Amino acid sequence: MKKYDVIVIGGGPSGLMASIAAAEQGASVALLDKGDKLGRKLGISGGGRCNVTNAKEIDELITYIPGGGRFLHSAFSLFSNRDIIAFFEGLGIALKEEDNGRMFPVSDKAKTVVNALIGKAKSLGVTLLIHHPVKEIIYGSGRVEGVKLNSGEMYKASAVIVATGGKSVPHTGSTGDGYPWAEAAGHTITELYPTETPIVSKEPFIASRELQGLSLRNVKLSLLDPKGKSVIAHQGDMIFTHFGLSGPIALRCSGFIRGVKKKHNVSQVTMSIDLFPDKKIGGLEHDMRQLAAAEPKKALKNVFKGIIPERLLPLLFERAKLPGETTYEHLPKEGWLAWIQLLKNFTLQASGTRPFEEAFVTGGGVHLKEINPKTMGSKLMQGLYFCGEVLDVHGYTGGYNITAAFATGYTAGHHAGKRE
Ligand SMILES: Cc1cc2nc3c(=O)[nH]c(=O)nc-3n(C[C@H](O)[C@H](O)[C@H](O)COP(=O)(O)OP(=O)(O)OC[C@H]3O[C@@H](n4cnc5c(N)ncnc54)[C@H](O)[C@@H]3O)c2cc1C
């Protein structure tokens, strides 16, 4: 039987960082991964360029982690986004900042980041083992004793760090293996659901595919409760697909659909698109009227096609009960008001989201109340630690999940390595 101070299960960003932090404390460390290479999901993040972290100030950054962001304060005080940047730059990996604080390696290659982590772990003497699927964690009386592999082989350790990720995009190795091990130690797993994933809608205009491929730039997408109150809203870009909505703001809203459905016991959630989020309704009415009045004999559909996507116009005119052929000269008053309101509030129904296979992130996970935020140690089982997406922590895409994975991984490794 092999024996280490610390065993890390999972070679994603959280596990690799945990192994490094534990080894830095002088612990003997083995990292076991079931796949044929380490950092597979990290390698496809950020469109294959690896969105390694985000440069926002911590207080703001936390607001981009709607699932458990505040739990991360302690972890960030030990290892923040600034430390992540310094860590990679210290390894000779120059980073660059893009829009919204997103940080990427200058090489634009995820491989650079993955190789840097592997190289650092190796230089600290971490034993990195691929093709080593862990079957279960061995618990003694109230404490961890080691792990058992699918092969039956046992590894003894006084600390085990679970860094197995969530359930999304399972072909990368994230198949939810860590949850039953946590439950076996007495932990609660909060409901798991796909998040940062496209939204599904059964609206006839979606089913007919008439808008498929149409992108809307700088619009606001809101999810509404049954009383019409906004639950979450994001401004930015989105795209109509053959099944519903995708693009950055649709992904950001997706994680809230399940909650609204559950809370209000409804099968569909109303979404609202504001096509002119930077204009108040009065100002929009004024601008639109001026535009139409300047060409009083021109059909409205031709007046507006420069400022509203042409493919969307027939649907908008139909909803506003305003014939697109109408000119400003013959403008019916009610139709005009309905038209302006529609531009600020185009509603459609969401029936759900795409599944885990297509989700960037998993919502839910190991209950945070049962984890010490200063160490990432289990409050229920001595020597057991959790980090990364296996925890009930999820952020928007933009480097926030990877930042959370590095920060919780470093914290878990640091404390497990100290054998506290
Ligand atoms: C396409 C895509 C793009 C993304 N882009 C972004 C982005 O731009 N910004 C962002 O913040 N986040 C992004 N994410 C999310 C981010 O990649 C994850 O949140 C992050 O990788 C989670 O890290 P982790 O270490 O917790 O788990 P993972 O990276 O999922 O790693 C888990 C590891 O555990 C191993 N494992 C699992 N079970 C076992 C077992 N039984 N035995 C041994 N090993 C096991 C797996 O093989 C895997 O290597 C993206 C995700 C995807 C799918």
Side-chain angles (χ1 to χ4, degrees):
M1 188 189 300
K2 293 182 179 120
K3 194 168 176 295
Y4 291 88
D5 294 326
V6 178
I7 285 179
V8 181
I9 315 172
S14 68
L16 283 164
M17 192 56 89
S19 73
I20 291 167
E24 279 176 348
Q25 293 305 312
S28 61
V29 184
L31 181 150
L32 313 179
D33 197 287
K34 66 178 174 182
D36 57 0
K37 57 181 180 187
L38 302 172
R40 273 180 293 171
K41 195 174 274 184
L42 193 59
I44 57 169
S45 76
R49 298 191 300 133
C50 192
N51 187 184
V52 72
T53 189
N54 192 291
K56 289 192 174 67
E57 293 300 324
I58 287 294
D59 284 344
E60 193 191 351
L61 188 144
I62 279 174
T63 66
Y64 286 77
I65 307 180
R70 276 182 299 169
F71 170 81
L72 300 175
H73 267 295
S74 297
F76 284 145
S77 65
L78 184 66
F79 197 69
S80 68
N81 52 347
R82 305 274 160 240
D83 295 311
I84 294 169
I85 294 167
F87 172 86
F88 283 106
E89 294 192 336
L91 294 176
I93 310 298
L95 302 179
K96 58 176 172 174
E97 185 176 335
E98 295 192 358
D99 58 313
N100 294 313
R102 296 185 308 150
M103 301 290 297
F104 292 88
V106 168
S107 67
D108 275 332
K109 290 194 175 76
K111 222 174 160 188
T112 319
V113 171
V114 176
N115 287 345
L117 286 161
I118 293 174
K120 178 70 180 173
K122 278 186 181 160
S123 75
L124 289 164
V126 175
T127 305
L128 297 173
L129 299 165
I130 53 170
H131 297 301
H132 275 62
V134 172
K135 189 174 181 203
E136 59 181 305
I137 300 177
I138 315 292
Y139 302 117
S141 46
R143 63 161 309 115
V144 150
E145 290 183 347
V147 301
K148 187 178 175 185
L149 270 58
N150 282 1
S151 62
E153 204 181 347
M154 311 273 271
Y155 281 68
K156 220 167 148 18
S158 53
V160 171
I161 302 177
V162 180
T164 44
K167 283 182 80 168
S168 49
V169 192
H171 73 80
T172 60
S174 326
T175 46
D177 298 14
Y179 305 122
W181 305 335
E183 283 176 325
H187 283 280
T188 314
I189 305 301
T190 61
E191 191 184 338
L192 303 170
Y193 57 96
T195 180
E196 296 298 298
T197 188
I199 295 174
V200 178
S201 170
K202 293 185 180 137
E203 292 283 353
F205 66 85
I206 296 288
S208 70
R209 302 187 173 201
E210 63 196 80
L211 298 182
Q212 183 179 349
L214 173 67
S215 295
L216 300 180
R217 304 259 170 242
N218 191 30
V219 297
K220 185 164 94 179
L221 179 68
S222 309
L223 292 192
L224 309 178
D225 72 9
K227 286 188 175 154
K229 198 170 155 230
S230 172
V231 176
I232 185 79
H234 282 286
Q235 193 170 330
D237 303 339
M238 53 160 276
I239 183 167
F240 291 99
T241 67
H242 62 285
F243 53 76
L245 309 182
S246 192
I249 57 172
L251 297 184
R252 285 191 174 185
C253 289
S254 66
F256 295 84
I257 289 178
R258 171 195 140 276
V260 178
K261 281 171 88 170
K262 211 171 160 182
K263 185 171 173 194
H264 300 284
N265 197 20
V266 289
S267 60
Q268 307 224 67
V269 177
T270 305
M271 301 183 284
S272 164
I273 301 171
D274 180 349
L275 292 164
F276 293 91
D278 298 327
K279 286 189 178 168
K280 292 218 162 63
I281 196 152
L284 181 65
E285 201 277 333
H286 173 266
D287 293 355
M288 289 284 165
R289 190 172 283 281
Q290 270 205 329
L291 201 69
E295 295 179 284
K297 294 188 193 310
K298 201 169 176 181
L300 291 180
K301 64 175 192 187
N302 293 328
V303 171
F304 294 129
K305 71 180 181 194
I307 54 164
I308 296 167
E310 203 173 345
R311 283 178 65 194
L312 195 56
L313 282 173
L315 187 62
L316 293 175
F317 282 125
E318 188 192 311
R319 283 234 187 148
K321 298 192 176 61
L322 191 68
E325 304 301 332
T326 306
T327 61
Y328 182 71
E329 276 182 342
H330 300 102
L331 195 61
K333 193 176 172 202
E334 310 73 51
W336 176 251
L337 291 178
W339 166 256
I340 297 296
Q341 275 162 4
L342 195 59
L343 299 182
K344 292 293 287 175
N345 182 23
F346 176 83
T347 57
L348 67 165
Q349 299 297 315
S351 56
T353 65
R354 298 291 272 187
F356 280 115
E357 282 68 22
E358 294 171 41
F360 285 92
V361 188
T362 301
V366 178
H367 204 308
L368 300 179
K369 282 204 174 120
E370 298 159 0
I371 303 295
N372 181 342
K374 290 197 167 76
T375 63
M376 297 299 140
S378 162
K379 290 180 182 171
L380 310 178
M381 184 69 67
Q382 217 184 326
L384 181 64
Y385 295 79
F386 295 92
C387 57
E389 216 178 295
V390 71
L391 289 165
D392 184 6
V393 170
H394 64 92
Y396 297 136
T397 54
Y400 306 104
N401 295 289
I402 295 168
T403 303
F406 282 141
T408 54
Y410 186 91
T411 306
H414 179 84
H415 290 281
K418 278 178 156 177
R419 282 143 283 178
E420 287 177 343

